[in-house]
Amino acid sequence: RAFLAVHLNEGRLARDESLDNLMEALSKHLRPSQSDKAESAPVMERARDFLHVLMATDVSLDELASYTGIDRFRLTRQFKRTYGQTPHAYLIRLRLRAARALLAAGKPAAEVAAEVGFSDQSHMGVWFRRAYRLTPAAYQRLCTNLTD
């Protein structure tokens, strides 16, 4: 996954998480496992709020860690423990939710993709189909094709 994330030019957060997962898997062979002390809820809320504010930008895990004041490895583990998904997965879901609202309002898919932070319309389409099993255009038709 790390190789593909780097070589397929995924977003910075996706690349960072993939590389961190690789490092964590490799580091288990170098030292005994250490338990994490749970971070306080306010720190994880800060991380979540940071993603909400910067949803449309290419956020890196280092930026998120710097903002919260904890290292990126602990941040990823604690975020996943708190919200049930990694920061990157959370960001994608956040973008998809915003995209759904904009598409339902009748905005063109290309504008929606740029506004919510996907690199282009095609990238949004890939994630949209993966999450909802519909293309953005099909979703938009379903939302706007209502009878009176």
Side-chain angles (χ1 to χ4, degrees):
R1 286 185 182 182
F3 177 83
L4 292 174
V6 170
H7 291 287
L8 295 178
N9 293 321
E10 288 286 335
R12 292 175 15 190
L13 192 57
R15 286 192 312 258
D16 290 348
E17 283 183 11
S18 296
L19 291 171
D20 286 356
N21 288 337
L22 174 64
M23 293 303 294
E24 186 174 347
L26 292 173
S27 67
K28 290 177 184 175
H29 300 285
L30 298 174
R31 61 175 168 73
S33 175
Q34 297 174 348
S35 62
D36 280 332
K37 184 175 112 178
E39 296 298 328
S40 64
V43 174
M44 290 303 105
E45 288 172 8
R46 267 186 76 159
R48 184 200 60 209
D49 293 345
F50 185 81
L51 292 175
H52 280 260
V53 169
L54 296 177
M55 172 186 69
T57 64
D58 189 13
V59 178
S60 76
L61 199 49
D62 287 328
E63 291 169 331
L64 188 58
S66 175
Y67 182 76
T68 59
I70 60 175
D71 70 80
R72 59 194 263 175
F73 299 101
R74 283 180 37 217
L75 171 66
T76 300
R77 283 191 300 270
Q78 293 301 322
F79 195 95
K80 189 170 184 179
R81 198 171 288 145
T82 303
Y83 296 109
Q85 53 192 339
T86 64
H88 179 252
Y90 186 90
L91 180 63
I92 293 296
R93 290 179 60 93
L94 187 63
R95 288 175 177 170
L96 287 171
R97 185 175 36 197
R100 275 193 350 241
L102 293 170
L103 288 167
K107 269 200 162 181
E111 285 180 31
V112 170
E115 191 172 326
V116 300
F118 288 108
S119 57
D120 56 25
Q121 183 177 347
S122 173
H123 189 228
M124 180 180 74
V126 167
W127 282 107
F128 209 91
R129 282 187 302 277
R130 205 178 280 175
Y132 306 119
R133 305 215 186 272
L134 286 172
T135 65
Y139 177 80
Q140 195 169 42
R141 278 191 304 275
L142 288 172
C143 292
T144 58
N145 196 14
L146 300 175
T147 58
D148 288 327

